[in-house]
Amino acid sequence: FGALSEGELKLAMDVALPDGLSEAEIIDWMEDRIKEQVKLADNMEEAALFLSDPNNNVNDFIRLNKQKARSARKKKEVAGKESGTTGQQATPTGRTATNPQTQEKLQEMSDGTWRAM
């Protein structure tokens, strides 16, 4: 690799498959990773289109995204109130992985986060 910054090293390590997953879990992980990359590419395209207008700037784009996020949270809260699911805590999904840097065992939660086991 040559000399890598800490951020570059983290990125290089993050693209590798996590250790300790079954074949089905690896497939799920890869599908999730692809979805995340598509979402990132879509956001970059949206930014490029938005910023190609000389009347828009980066601050405008950030404000727009924050506004969208607030609106999405409100919709989720309303939907949760209507279905009675507000305040639910994340539960383990059954998927586990090992952090390749620390060897720490992790479990995926229903909200998409990973927590130490």
Side-chain angles (χ1 to χ4, degrees), residues 76-77 79-89:
K76 190 174 181 179
E77 288 172 8
K81 287 178 184 175
E82 290 173 355
S83 66
T85 59
T86 57
Q88 284 188 343
Q89 290 194 344

Side-chain angles (χ1 to χ4, degrees), residues 4 11 13 24 26 35 41 43 46 50-51 53 60 69 75 79 81 83 89 92 95-96 107 114:
L4 294 177
L11 177 63
M13 294 181 82
I26 289 172
K35 286 177 190 174
N43 187 262
E46 182 183 358
F50 183 86
L51 295 171
D53 182 334
D60 295 332
K75 284 181 184 178
K81 287 178 184 175
S83 66
Q89 290 194 344
R95 287 179 37 174
T96 62
Q107 63 182 355
W114 289 83

Side-chain angles (χ1 to χ4, degrees), residues 48-116:
L49 291 170
F50 183 86
L51 295 171
S52 67
D53 182 334
N55 295 318
N56 296 333
N57 62 44
V58 173
N59 288 336
D60 295 332
F61 186 70
I62 291 169
R63 274 193 286 280
L64 176 67
N65 277 322
K66 285 185 177 186
Q67 186 178 28
K68 283 182 186 179
R70 280 192 296 271
S71 178
R73 277 194 302 273
K74 282 186 179 182
K75 284 181 184 178
K76 190 174 181 179
E77 288 172 8
V78 168
K81 287 178 184 175
E82 290 173 355
S83 66
T85 59
T86 57
Q88 284 188 343
Q89 290 194 344
T91 56
T93 65
R95 287 179 37 174
T96 62
T98 302
N99 182 325
Q101 296 157 326
T102 65
Q103 300 305 311
E104 178 181 34
K105 299 286 185 192
L106 305 169
Q107 63 182 355
E108 183 184 36
M109 306 303 287
S110 57
D111 64 358
T113 61
W114 289 83
R115 295 193 184 147

Side-chain angles (χ1 to χ4, degrees), residues 25-53:
E25 291 170 329
I26 289 172
I27 291 169
D28 288 344
W29 183 89
M30 291 175 78
E31 288 172 347
D32 290 343
R33 184 77 176 197
I34 290 168
K35 286 177 190 174
E36 292 167 4
Q37 289 175 342
V38 167
K39 187 185 282 189
L40 177 61
D42 289 346
N43 187 262
M44 290 175 66
E45 180 182 18
E46 182 183 358
L49 291 170
F50 183 86
L51 295 171
S52 67
D53 182 334

